[in-house]
Amino acid sequence: MAAQNTLPLLLLALLPLAAASTFDVANNCSYTVWAAASPGGGIQLNPGQSWSYNVPDGTTGGRVWPRTGCTFNSTGNGHCQTGDCGGVLACTGSGQSPNTLTEYSLNNPGGLDYFDISLVDGFNVPLSFKPTSNGCTSGPSCAADVNAQCPAELQVPGGCGDPCTIFGTPEYCCPSPSSCNPTKYSKYFKSQCPQSFSYPYDDNSATFACPGNTNYQIVFCP
Ligand SMILES: *[C@@H]1O[C@H](CO)[C@@H](O)[C@H](O)[C@H]1NC(C)=O
Ligand SMILES: *[C@@H]1O[C@H](CO)[C@@H](O)[C@H](O)[C@H]1NC(C)=O
């Protein structure tokens, strides 16, 4: 009797958990990339491999980025040359500069997902961030090889660093929106990837929107 009574209640309690967006991360590069996702964790993706996972409805501040030059031991501890996430494969925080960052918030008040690519933490691997459901088709791509012409002062092993991390001055780190302007470095990032954020408090033209709970695909080396 108890089981019969509790089963419907259990199902009702589980139904809201089913609301989620599926993220598919595909490595189209000719080299290995270690995907990092917060929430989500992380995984090694050899060329041609992909990874699918669910993100709960209402997630804000979500992020996915590529890591390169990683070595992890059998318990998933180690280090990456770019995008390192606290020295662990199964990432829970944010990544070290440089990394090409995708950001999203799902099903915000008003029922929309918002998503973007940001070069505010520099660049390591080209990527695209596209919706794949709900009839939504438009998303950003940063496919240029930003490393190739990276200004000498920003060049770091494996990528093109961001000027805040490298110089640490208010001009680049932007403690407040009112004193935050484009710089020669942010203009370089913008010229390479016009659909991406290029400095803190960049204008919102790089923000894309879809109906809530759309599914997404991120491709490394699109
Ligand atoms: C993996 O590395 C971590 C951190 O250095 C260490 O604590 C752990 O014992 C290592 N695990 C193995 C199986 O070597
Ligand atoms: C993968 O890369 C090739 C070029 O190397 C490109 O033609 C193709 O469109 C890419 N695939 C995706 C899904 O972006």
Side-chain angles (χ1 to χ4, degrees), residues 22-45:
T22 299
F23 275 64
D24 182 68
V25 184
N27 181 14
N28 194 42
C29 300
S30 58
Y31 47 89
T32 298
V33 177
W34 288 259
S38 183
I43 194 171
Q44 174 177 336
L45 294 175

Side-chain angles (χ1 to χ4, degrees), residues 72-78 87:
F72 292 108
N73 69 12
S74 59
T75 50
N77 293 93

Side-chain angles (χ1 to χ4, degrees), residues 28 34 86 172 189 191 195 202 215:
N28 194 42
W34 288 259
Y172 302 117
F189 287 125
S191 71
Q195 296 180 314
D202 197 354
N215 298 327

Side-chain angles (χ1 to χ4, degrees), residues 150-173:
C150 180
E153 312 89 282
L154 301 185
Q155 287 175 14
V156 295
C160 188
D162 71 280
C164 171
T165 300
I166 289 172
F167 303 115
T169 54
E171 178 188 9
Y172 302 117
C173 297

Side-chain angles (χ1 to χ4, degrees), residues 42-221:
I43 194 171
Q44 174 177 336
L45 294 175
N46 296 331
Q49 288 186 326
S50 62
W51 174 47
S52 261
Y53 65 98
N54 288 334
V55 176
D57 188 20
T59 295
T60 58
R63 42 177 61 204
V64 179
W65 69 96
R67 294 175 286 187
T68 58
C70 303
T71 326
F72 292 108
N73 69 12
S74 59
T75 50
N77 293 93
H79 181 74
C80 300
Q81 185 181 52
T82 66
D84 188 66
C85 182
V88 292
L89 176 61
C91 182
T92 56
S94 55
Q96 275 180 11
S97 168
N99 68 81
T100 317
L101 179 63
T102 68
E103 305 175 298
Y104 62 85
S105 290
L106 300 181
N107 212 356
N108 294 273
L112 293 177
D113 294 350
Y114 293 109
F115 59 107
D116 67 74
I117 297 174
S118 171
L119 302 184
V120 173
D121 291 336
F123 175 98
N124 59 348
V125 173
L127 56 78
S128 63
F129 190 5
K130 302 284 184 187
T132 58
S133 69
N134 279 344
C136 204
T137 54
S138 183
S141 181
C142 176
D145 183 2
V146 174
N147 294 335
Q149 294 167 60
C150 180
E153 312 89 282
L154 301 185
Q155 287 175 14
V156 295
C160 188
D162 71 280
C164 171
T165 300
I166 289 172
F167 303 115
T169 54
E171 178 188 9
Y172 302 117
C173 297
C174 290
S176 83
S178 59
S179 61
C180 191
N181 295 298
T183 63
K184 67 172 176 176
Y185 299 121
S186 75
K187 286 175 185 165
Y188 171 68
F189 287 125
K190 200 74 177 180
S191 71
Q192 294 288 299
C193 287
Q195 296 180 314
S196 305
F197 280 87
S198 63
Y199 65 99
Y201 305 111
D202 197 354
D203 71 63
N204 259 332
S205 64
T207 301
F208 289 72
C210 281
N213 291 116
T214 295
N215 298 327
Y216 295 91
Q217 185 179 46
I218 291 162
V219 177
F220 300 146
C221 302

